[in-house]
Amino acid sequence: MSGHSKWATIKHAKGAADAKRGQIFTKLIKEISIAARMGGGSPDANPRLRTAILKARGANMPKDNIDRAIKKGTGELEGVNYEELIYEAYAPGGVAIFIEVLTDNKNRAAADIRNMLTRAGGQLATSGSVSRLFKRQGIITVDGDKYTEDQIMEIAIDGGAEDVALSDGIIEITTSPEDFESVLTVINEKGIETMSAEVSMVAEAEVALEGDATGKVVKLIDRLEENEDVQNVYSNLEIPEGFESE
């Protein structure tokens, strides 16, 4: 999960440091490659590539990996051509799910996503019915054990951030999409190590479920995220305090 609740942001940030690092790097490489293919290999002239590189740096991806991904996108190295797809869906309980896909086989991706939704009791939604429930927002996370909230707040707010908050040991910096790059640049220039950095889809309002329904939706989102074609999954599910995924 990415950027749609405090719990999800923390889960995503910690994921960058655990066994999922390889999976995260694979998704970042795909994003960099398609950005380079569509707009060229120069970050200065390609805003999407510039943002993808910043996101990769936020996840501490080595420079060599980034350079190879760019060259695959521009054709200097052999690579795969990916298509971008968006799926909007509803999970049980009316939870909205927004799925971003980068795939080299759209029929496979469509079948996999439809199957996962159906098995979980969810369904695809009409275009626009889910996206209107979200707004784009920059999310940068920093380890609260390494830095203090006041320390990060002074740097981030001066750089143009909208808010800084500490939750469960993670300092979360929020920005507008337009200010994301400048805020992240200021943080990097101060030598602050980030756990994750990306422009996400953030829910305008969250949906709370009762009983074990929350866990079932979380499992669906986890399965979607683990799919090789799925790039990002966002939802408006409210995660109750103390919730632990099985």
Side-chain angles (χ1 to χ4, degrees), residues 73-88:
T74 58
E76 294 176 64
L77 293 176
E78 185 177 351
V80 179
N81 286 330
Y82 297 106
E83 289 186 80
E84 291 183 282
L85 302 169
I86 298 292
Y87 291 94
E88 300 181 42

Side-chain angles (χ1 to χ4, degrees), residues 28-46:
L28 290 170
I29 286 168
K30 287 166 68 174
E31 172 61 27
I32 292 169
S33 294
I34 197 169
R37 176 165 65 85
M38 295 179 68
S42 170
D44 292 336
N46 185 343

Side-chain angles (χ1 to χ4, degrees), residues 123-146:
Q123 60 184 5
L124 289 172
T126 56
S127 179
S129 62
V130 166
S131 59
R132 65 183 178 83
L133 304 176
F134 295 80
K135 64 177 179 180
R136 287 212 169 267
Q137 194 167 43
I139 305 288
I140 303 166
T141 57
V142 175
D143 190 340
D145 292 332
K146 293 183 179 180

Side-chain angles (χ1 to χ4, degrees), residues 165-215:
L166 175 65
S167 180
D168 289 349
I170 304 294
I171 300 172
E172 181 183 85
I173 304 156
T174 55
T175 78
S176 67
E178 296 77 18
D179 291 333
F180 170 77
E181 184 178 336
S182 60
V183 173
L184 184 56
T185 298
V186 168
I187 290 170
N188 288 337
E189 287 176 348
K190 295 292 185 180
I192 304 297
E193 181 182 343
T194 56
M195 298 178 71
S196 67
E198 63 183 328
V199 176
S200 300
M201 293 283 281
V202 179
E204 297 275 14
E206 295 183 330
V207 174
L209 301 179
E210 296 183 356
D212 62 355
T214 298

Side-chain angles (χ1 to χ4, degrees), residues 202-224:
V202 179
E204 297 275 14
E206 295 183 330
V207 174
L209 301 179
E210 296 183 356
D212 62 355
T214 298
K216 290 179 179 179
V217 175
V218 169
K219 286 181 180 179
L220 168 60
I221 294 171
D222 283 343
R223 283 195 292 270
L224 286 166

Side-chain angles (χ1 to χ4, degrees), residues 224-235:
L224 286 166
E225 283 192 323
E226 289 166 2
N227 183 272
E228 62 178 318
D229 294 316
V230 174
Q231 195 72 1
N232 294 299
V233 182
Y234 306 101
S235 88

